[in-house]
Amino acid sequence: MTARIVEVRQDILKKNDLLARALRSRFEEAGVFVVSLVSSPGAGKTTLLQRTLAALRSSLRVAAVVGDLQTDNDARRLAEAGVPIRQITTGTVCHLDANMLEQALEDWDLRALDVLFVENVGNLVCPASYDLGEALRVVLLSVTEGEDKPLKYPTIFGSADSAVLTKIDLADVVDFDRDAARQAIEAVRPGMDVLEVSSRSGVGLEAWINYLQAMRTHAFAVGTH
Amino acid sequence: MTARIVEVRQDILKKNDLLARALRSRFEEAGVFVVSLVSSPGAGKTTLLQRTLAALRSSLRVAAVVGDLQTDNDARRLAEAGVPIRQITTGTVCHLDANMLEQALEDWDLRALDVLFVENVGNLVCPASYDLGEALRVVLLSVTEGEDKPLKYPTIFGSADSAVLTKIDLADVVDFDRDAARQAIEAVRPGMDVLEVSSRSGVGLEAWINYLQAMRTHAFAVGTH
C-alpha cells in the first residue's frame, strides 16, 4: 500500500513539475515576474500582499491570485487595492498546484502584467513539493509562531528563495528571539535572504518593496526571464 | 489518475478508522481519558500543554505524546514537567495517524495513566481526517491568526469537540475581534464549546483545567469510557 501511494504521488509531482516548467516559460515570455507567498495560516500573507500591491501599483502593473480551502475572504480584501485579483478555492486540498494556477490564469493577458503575486494556501507542509513556475518563492514566519519553526518545517523553508519575518512590531511583546530565528533559518537554508516587516506599523515595508524590485531586475538581467 | 488517488486515500482512511476504533476501546478499558490538540503551527499547543501537565500532575497521572515532522524540541520542552513524554517524528507526513500513535504507545501501561494528551503536527488541514481514538479533540486558534480561520479551515473545526482561543493576552495588541471569531466558529460548528486562555499570563487556565476535568468525569459517566 505504501509503495503504491509513493508511486502515485511521484506521478503527480512529475506531472506538476512539467506543468510548472511550461508556466515558467510562459511567464518569462510574457515578461511577468511571479512571486509566491507561503506560510502557516495567519502569518500575514494577505495583509503583506495588500500593502505590497498598494505600494507597487503606481509604478508597475500588478495582480494577484490567492488560494484558500474555503471562502473568498482574501480575494475580497485584496480587491480593495484596485488591481486584478483571482481566487482559487481548493476545497480539501492543502496547497496550490501548477494546474490550478494555469486554470486561474486562463483568459488573463500575462503581457499586461509586470508582477503577479500568488498567495498559497496557509500551510507549512503541503505547498513545499509543488512548483508553481514562480520566479521567487517567499516564506513568511510571524514572530508569534516561535523561533524554531524553520527546524520543524525544513522542507518548505528549503523550497523558498527568501524569508520574511512578519508582525515584527510584536517581537518584544512575545519575547521573540531574532537571533534564534535567524540561526534556525540559516541552519535549514544557509545564506537565505531574511527580511523583517510589520504590515501594521509599516516597519521594513520599504526595504521589502525595494527587495522585490531588485529581485525582479535581477531575474530579467540574468535571463531567467 | 484522480479516481485512483481517491480510492487509495479511502483505503487508508478506512484502515485508520478501524485502528482508531480499536485504540478507543483500549483507552476505555484502561480508563485513560485521551485528549488531542490540533492547530496551525505556533498557535501554542506545546506551551498550553506544559501548563496543563503542571496543573494536573499533582492530582492525576498524566502523560503526553507529541508529533512533529522534525526535531524533538517539543518533547524536550514537555519533559520538564516531569511526566512521561514520547515524541513521534513524522518526517514529511503532515499529521499523526492511529498507527503512529499505537506504535508510540507500545510498552506503555495505559492503566497507569488517567489522562493522555496527544499533540498533533501543527497543521490546520491534514489532521482533520485522521481519528486517533481520542475522547476529546481540541482545536486551538491563536488571536494572532485572524478571526476567519474557522471559515477557511472548516473541516478541522468540524472534526474537533472544543475550541480554545490562545494568546488571549495579545487580543488587544492585535485588535482581535472576539465576537467575529466566535461567530465564525459558531457558523462552522454550532454549539461548540469555546474557551479563552493565555498560557503566558495565566488568564483562563483555571477554567481550562476545570473544563478538562469535567469532560473527563462526563466521559466516564456516560460510559464512553
Side-chain angles (χ1 to χ4, degrees), chain A residues 48-67:
Chain A
L48 180 61
L49 199 42
Q50 283 180 303
R51 301 285 178 280
T52 306
L53 295 174
L56 289 176
R57 70 176 169 188
S58 59
S59 56
L60 292 168
R61 299 167 301 169
V62 290
V65 174
V66 289

Side-chain angles (χ1 to χ4, degrees), chain B:
Chain B
M1 178 60 78
T2 309
R4 196 174 158 208
I5 301 164
V6 170
E7 192 188 297
V8 173
R9 204 174 137 71
Q10 281 173 343
D11 280 355
I12 297 169
L13 288 178
K14 199 174 162 192
K15 237 179 151 177
N16 186 78
D17 279 351
L18 291 174
L19 256 177
R21 210 172 300 166
L23 272 179
R24 188 167 280 114
S25 298
R26 273 182 64 194
F27 297 150
E28 286 174 20
E29 280 164 31
V32 56
F33 183 58
V34 180
V35 180
S36 78
L37 304 178
V38 293
S39 78
S40 64
K45 291 184 295 302
T46 311
T47 311
L48 181 60
L49 199 41
Q50 284 181 302
R51 301 285 177 280
T52 306
L53 296 174
L56 290 176
R57 70 177 167 185
S58 59
S59 56
L60 292 167
R61 297 167 303 168
V62 291
V65 174
V66 290
D68 268 307
L69 271 72
Q70 300 287 343
T71 85
D72 60 352
N73 291 1
D74 288 357
R76 282 189 284 115
R77 280 171 64 193
L78 291 170
E80 292 168 18
V83 306
I85 304 292
R86 286 198 179 162
Q87 175 86 44
I88 301 174
T89 308
T90 63
T92 58
V93 178
C94 50
H95 58 84
L96 294 180
D97 63 29
N99 183 44
M100 295 178 202
L101 182 59
E102 188 183 41
Q103 286 181 16
L105 296 177
E106 248 180 6
D107 317 325
W108 230 354
D109 180 11
L110 293 177
R111 280 169 213 283
L113 294 177
D114 296 313
V115 186
L116 171 68
F117 292 93
V118 180
E119 181 186 330
N120 216 315
V121 175
N123 202 298
L124 277 186
V125 182
C126 316
S129 318
Y130 291 85
D131 184 5
L132 301 175
E134 67 268 65
L136 186 75
R137 178 178 290 198
V138 181
V139 60
L140 276 61
L141 173 67
S142 75
V143 301
T144 61
E145 288 173 68
E147 299 82 0
D148 66 348
K149 288 295 168 294
L151 301 175
K152 288 185 175 180
Y153 299 88
T155 313
I156 194 109
F157 279 81
S159 82
D161 302 292
S162 326
V164 175
L165 304 178
T166 59
K167 308 189 189 185
I168 202 75
D169 57 311
L170 297 176
D172 291 342
V173 186
V174 298
D175 298 321
F176 180 71
D177 185 337
R178 236 183 210 86
D179 292 339
R182 283 176 175 270
Q183 276 166 26
I185 293 170
E186 189 67 21
V188 170
R189 189 74 196 265
M192 190 180 219
D193 293 328
V194 182
L195 290 94
E196 301 185 1
V197 304
S198 163
S199 296
R200 202 161 55 144
S201 76
V203 166
L205 280 184
E206 201 182 327
W208 157 247
I209 298 296
N210 290 342
Y211 179 76
L212 283 179
Q213 287 176 323
M215 292 304 280
R216 176 170 173 262
T217 307
H218 177 77
F220 284 100
V222 297
T224 66
H225 270 77

Side-chain angles (χ1 to χ4, degrees), chain A residues 156-216:
Chain A
I156 194 111
F157 280 81
S159 82
D161 302 293
S162 327
V164 176
L165 303 178
T166 59
K167 309 190 188 182
I168 201 76
D169 58 311
L170 297 177
D172 290 342
V173 186
V174 298
D175 297 321
F176 180 70
D177 185 338
R178 239 185 206 84
D179 293 339
R182 284 178 175 266
Q183 277 167 25
I185 293 170
E186 189 69 21
V188 170
R189 189 72 196 264
M192 189 179 219
D193 293 328
V194 182
L195 290 93
E196 300 185 1
V197 305
S198 164
S199 296
R200 199 160 57 144
S201 75
V203 166
L205 280 183
E206 200 182 327
W208 158 247
I209 297 297
N210 290 341
Y211 178 77
L212 283 179
Q213 287 175 322
M215 293 304 281
R216 177 171 172 261

Side-chain angles (χ1 to χ4, degrees), chain A residues 24-41:
Chain A
R24 187 166 281 114
S25 298
R26 271 181 66 195
F27 295 150
E28 286 175 19
E29 279 164 30
V32 57
F33 182 58
V34 180
V35 180
S36 79
L37 303 179
V38 293
S39 79
S40 63

